[in-house]
Amino acid sequence: MSRVYNFSAGPSMLPESVLRKAADEMLDYQGSGQSVMEMSHRSKTYQAIIDGCEALLREVMQIPDNYKVLFLQGGASSQFAMIPLNLMNGSGKADYVITGQWAKKAFQEGSRYGECKAVASSADKTFSYIPALDPSTFTKDADYFYICMNNTIYGTCYSEAQLPDTGSVPLIADISSCILSAPLDVSKFGMVYAGAQKNMGPAGLTVVIIREDLIGHARDITPTMFNYQIHADNGSMYNTPPTYAIYICKLVLEWIRDEIGGLENMKKRNEEKAKLLYDFLDSSEMFQGTVEKGSRSLMNVPFVTGNEELDAKFVKESSAAGLINLKGHRTVGGMRASIYNAMPIEGVKALVEFMKKFEAENK
Ligand SMILES: *Cc1c(COP(=O)(O)O)cnc(C)c1O
């Protein structure tokens, strides 16, 4: 067996120990004689898995007690509609910061339901920075203020200090591509959510963490399956939840707690990995990072050579060397290395070594 280093933006690498554990338990989950995939979601055995996953997430992220954790489907993209349907219930207004395609899609979807204002955008420079925010432009009576914390395609991320102070307006964040990468003070947000396929497990699971007082005010037209209250009241079991994805997410959380030692350590590890790559980009004559230094993501690192033919050659040769999915998003061009939690430091070292060799050979 040989495994590649997979730099995909998502679905992405999972920790090898998680995959091994899942393989060991595939045919017979802990003496039940079944795979988790085959189990009734109403069984005691499965209830222990979903309860364990929620308890672990609360422990690892230190989620305050007045927040609900919901295990949903429909991807992060369904939240673009669920958020306005459930939360745009007062003034019918909301503020959005446009930091890339995902924020823009959320803004466009939100605009179907009410008056959405783009309070800032970094579109002028291909979303290569997190724009400064001027609180005097914020809508005072907005029902919520929306940001995308880590911009997967463009490789930018809000630092703690860049998070807007929205006062009594609930701050909502898409944290799909940075959840569990570092500690996060959940109490600063009304709601955060993430598609699982970047840092939590397989595709098919979307995790919503929402303050309790924001639940229960959905518009009448809200489809039952899109109503947070329905899922909160039913322990994410109104219908069949994505059972296997939740199980893998539980194994990933066990890995973070027991093998990594929690989110402080996860952050250190991620900083160390990102530094290796950014330091090389800053010293290289051939490769340049595309993001302003103060806005750099620890998770997604886009870079270019400035020459499309050379970029294409790099993608082809790196792939042949077992460093796969380094092609950049079509709107940025060049390359992008997604170095999520599960990417080992050896993978980043191998990438930097390969880049050095490529640079020397193609001067
Ligand atoms: C991947 C991603 C999405 C889209 O997720 P789906 O689960 O495919 O809908 C949305 N936002 C961010 C930040 C992402 O990284």
Side-chain angles (χ1 to χ4, degrees):
M1 184 193 74
S2 89
R3 295 208 8 112
V4 293
Y5 289 121
N6 179 6
F7 294 90
S8 166
S12 47
M13 286 185 79
L14 284 165
E16 199 167 303
S17 64
V18 165
L19 296 176
R20 285 187 190 284
K21 178 121 201 250
D24 284 347
E25 295 181 334
M26 179 60 75
L27 295 180
D28 177 9
Y29 176 74
Q30 297 187 357
S32 67
Q34 314 156 61
S35 169
V36 174
M37 272 187 253
E38 302 169 301
M39 237 172 238
S40 163
H41 61 296
R42 308 276 176 206
S43 65
K44 264 199 186 126
T45 314
Y46 190 75
Q47 190 65 48
I49 294 174
I50 191 169
D51 289 347
C53 185
E54 176 175 346
L56 269 162
L57 186 66
R58 287 185 176 278
E59 178 185 343
V60 167
M61 286 185 73
Q62 297 184 17
I63 299 171
D65 289 343
N66 62 326
Y67 285 72
K68 289 276 188 212
V69 173
L70 309 178
F71 297 111
L72 308 180
Q73 306 193 48
S77 300
S78 290
Q79 295 308 311
F80 301 166
M82 281 179 87
I83 289 163
L85 280 166
N86 284 269
L87 305 180
M88 212 188 246
N89 45 38
S91 64
K93 298 179 201 164
D95 286 343
Y96 283 73
V97 181
I98 313 298
T99 48
Q101 267 192 33
W102 298 120
K104 193 171 158 196
K105 282 191 174 156
F107 171 72
Q108 286 169 339
E109 188 75 7
S111 299
R112 300 178 63 203
Y113 298 96
E115 200 180 315
C116 294
K117 177 177 173 188
V119 290
S121 166
S122 49
D124 60 334
K125 292 183 188 162
T126 326
F127 301 114
S128 58
Y129 67 104
I130 299 293
L133 299 173
D134 173 2
S136 75
T137 62
F138 297 178
T139 305
K140 300 284 173 291
D141 60 344
D143 289 327
Y144 60 85
F145 189 107
Y146 183 99
I147 62 169
C148 179
M149 190 155 175
N150 186 80
N151 296 279
T152 322
I153 294 174
Y154 301 95
T156 64
C157 188
Y158 287 77
S159 63
E160 282 291 315
Q162 283 168 322
L163 290 176
D165 178 0
T166 58
S168 60
V169 175
L171 179 61
I172 313 290
D174 177 354
I175 59 168
S176 293
S177 51
C178 59
I179 191 168
L180 300 172
S181 64
L184 182 71
D185 182 355
V186 173
S187 71
K188 285 189 176 158
F189 300 86
M191 170 184 151
V192 292
Y193 72 94
Q197 68 271 26
K198 279 73 186 238
N199 251 347
M200 306 188 93
L205 167 65
T206 308
V207 174
V208 167
I209 302 168
I210 179 166
R211 220 174 58 212
E212 280 166 357
D213 61 287
L214 297 174
I215 298 175
H217 317 286
R219 295 187 182 186
D220 288 344
I221 59 156
T222 305
T224 305
M225 276 296 288
F226 266 33
N227 191 326
Y228 293 136
Q229 178 154 35
I230 291 288
H231 296 287
D233 288 351
N234 290 280
S236 302
M237 291 266 200
Y238 173 72
N239 71 328
T240 317
T243 53
Y244 198 76
I246 292 168
Y247 157 71
I248 298 289
C249 180
K250 176 169 179 278
L251 298 185
V252 168
L253 289 162
E254 284 167 358
W255 170 75
I256 293 175
R257 185 189 62 183
D258 302 335
E259 291 181 53
I260 302 295
L263 292 185
E264 280 296 347
N265 285 357
M266 194 83 239
K267 180 183 180 200
K268 277 193 207 120
R269 217 177 92 117
N270 285 327
E271 284 172 345
E272 195 186 336
K273 276 156 43 185
K275 186 173 187 314
L276 275 177
L277 189 47
Y278 285 121
D279 281 353
F280 173 69
L281 289 171
D282 291 342
S283 70
S284 165
E285 285 179 17
M286 176 180 282
F287 297 102
Q288 291 97 43
T290 58
V291 170
E292 281 186 11
K293 281 191 185 169
S295 301
R296 284 172 165 178
S297 164
L298 294 181
M299 298 282 99
N300 311 96
V301 184
F303 57 94
V304 295
T305 64
N307 173 330
E308 279 180 29
E309 267 170 49
L310 209 52
D311 288 350
K313 185 168 187 227
F314 180 86
V315 170
K316 191 164 166 230
E317 291 183 6
S318 56
S319 181
L323 308 167
I324 72 162
N325 287 321
L326 282 161
K327 191 171 172 18
H329 193 268
R330 61 188 185 282
T331 60
V332 184
M335 284 69 70
R336 170 178 50 171
S338 294
I339 49 175
Y340 295 119
N341 284 353
M343 173 63 68
I345 192 151
E346 292 75 24
V348 181
K349 284 182 178 159
L351 172 61
V352 170
E353 284 316 305
F354 183 85
M355 289 167 79
K356 282 183 183 161
K357 183 169 147 273
F358 186 88
E359 182 165 350
E361 284 170 2
N362 293 278
K363 269 207 173 113

